Amino acid sequence: QQQVKQSPQSLIVQKGGISIINCAYENTAFDYFPWYQQFPGKGPALLIAIRPDVSEKKEGRFTISFNKSAKQFSLHIMDSQPGDSATYFCAASLGANNLFFGTGTRLTVIP
Amino acid sequence: DAGVIQSPRHEVTEMGQEVTLRCKPISGHNSLFWYRQTMMRGLELLIYFNNNVPIDDSGMPEDRFSAKMPNASFSTLKIQPSEPRDSAVYFCASSRGGREKLFFGSGTQLSVL
């Protein structure tokens, strides 16, 4: 059973465009929602994270939007650059231990 | 800081052989995670250690899998005997405490023929 559902599976965006990746969850007890970025041949790296008491968090060109009532959250990448081409994973966590990852979105930014 | 160090980077073995994957977490981190990544199932947590003690091993798929953390700077994941369906990328990650800000190693690409 997939705890976190992520879409789309792949995404192609023109340079300068906005990339949007969506995630949905069922367990309302989740209390921590990070996004990880993974480049080929590397492990995932934390990009940005949010807690359910805020609806939006922005760090540079990256923004998480969180909709608690809909049990959805999304990553927006503004002014997408070719260097942003990577696989992005959303995740959700309950308590101090596990992170449940989405299945990933492969983003390609075309110059 | 060298980051999380995993070895080997690639492992090719035959079905039935024992495989040992190694991990050196970041110094000062007291939580260590082993994840497995496949196209079909994405990133799955296998086991989580806190202060060298296994806290949650519910993700370990079978008795063929075992993990140890004899000290704060070293962990192993062993598969014995290995099977073709174990082929995946295995990641080790560490953190200062729990699930906040995991630092992942570069992974071990395991192929079981």
Side-chain angles (χ1 to χ4, degrees):
Chain A
Q1 180 183 357
Q2 195 69 33
Q3 298 272 1
V4 180
K5 295 182 179 179
Q6 183 172 348
S7 64
Q9 191 172 5
S10 62
L11 180 63
I12 300 175
V13 174
Q14 292 276 358
K15 178 182 176 182
I18 302 174
S19 303
I20 302 175
I21 304 171
N22 301 300
C23 285
Y25 63 96
E26 286 298 322
N27 191 338
T28 56
F30 285 142
D31 61 356
Y32 177 68
F33 302 88
W35 284 88
Y36 279 76
Q37 178 188 55
Q38 183 179 27
F39 292 105
K42 300 293 186 182
L46 179 66
L47 185 63
I48 187 173
I50 197 169
R51 299 186 188 280
D53 54 346
V54 296
S55 60
E56 185 176 283
K57 183 174 182 179
K58 183 176 181 179
E59 289 185 4
R61 296 184 293 109
F62 300 90
T63 300
I64 300 178
S65 296
F66 187 84
N67 187 330
K68 190 173 183 179
S69 61
K71 295 185 287 186
Q72 295 176 348
F73 58 111
S74 59
L75 177 69
H76 296 236
I77 306 175
M78 311 300 289
D79 187 26
S80 299
Q81 299 296 312
D84 297 331
S85 298
T87 299
Y88 293 81
F89 294 91
C90 63
S93 180
L94 168 63
N97 299 341
N98 199 359
L99 273 177
F100 296 97
F101 283 89
T103 50
T105 296
R106 177 174 290 184
L107 172 66
T108 302
V109 181
I110 300 172
Chain B
D1 196 330
V4 176
I5 299 173
Q6 290 187 246
S7 63
R9 285 299 308 273
H10 304 274
E11 176 79 36
V12 180
T13 190
E14 293 186 347
M15 182 173 64
Q17 296 298 306
E18 176 180 299
V19 174
T20 299
L21 311 182
R22 296 172 176 80
C23 175
K24 176 178 170 58
I26 293 173
S27 178
H29 284 191
N30 60 4
S31 295
L32 184 138
F33 304 77
W34 281 100
Y35 279 89
R36 177 171 67 177
Q37 185 177 38
T38 61
M39 288 295 294
M40 290 294 294
R41 302 175 67 88
L43 275 163
E44 300 175 282
L45 178 69
L46 299 177
I47 188 168
Y48 158 55
F49 292 87
N50 192 47
N51 292 322
N52 312 336
V53 176
I55 302 299
D56 181 1
D57 65 355
S58 60
M60 296 286 264
E62 301 170 33
D63 290 345
R64 299 184 297 107
F65 286 69
S66 63
K68 294 182 179 180
M69 192 165 186
N71 57 63
S73 59
F74 184 66
S75 177
T76 60
L77 178 68
K78 185 178 294 186
I79 308 173
Q80 166 64 20
S82 58
E83 297 182 3
R85 58 196 170 113
D86 301 330
S87 297
V89 180
Y90 290 80
F91 287 104
C92 175
S94 69
S95 73
R96 291 192 183 277
R99 78 287 172 74
E100 303 264 344
K101 197 166 186 180
L102 270 61
F103 290 82
F104 283 79
S106 294
T108 294
Q109 174 78 59
L110 174 64
S111 298
V112 183
L113 306 178

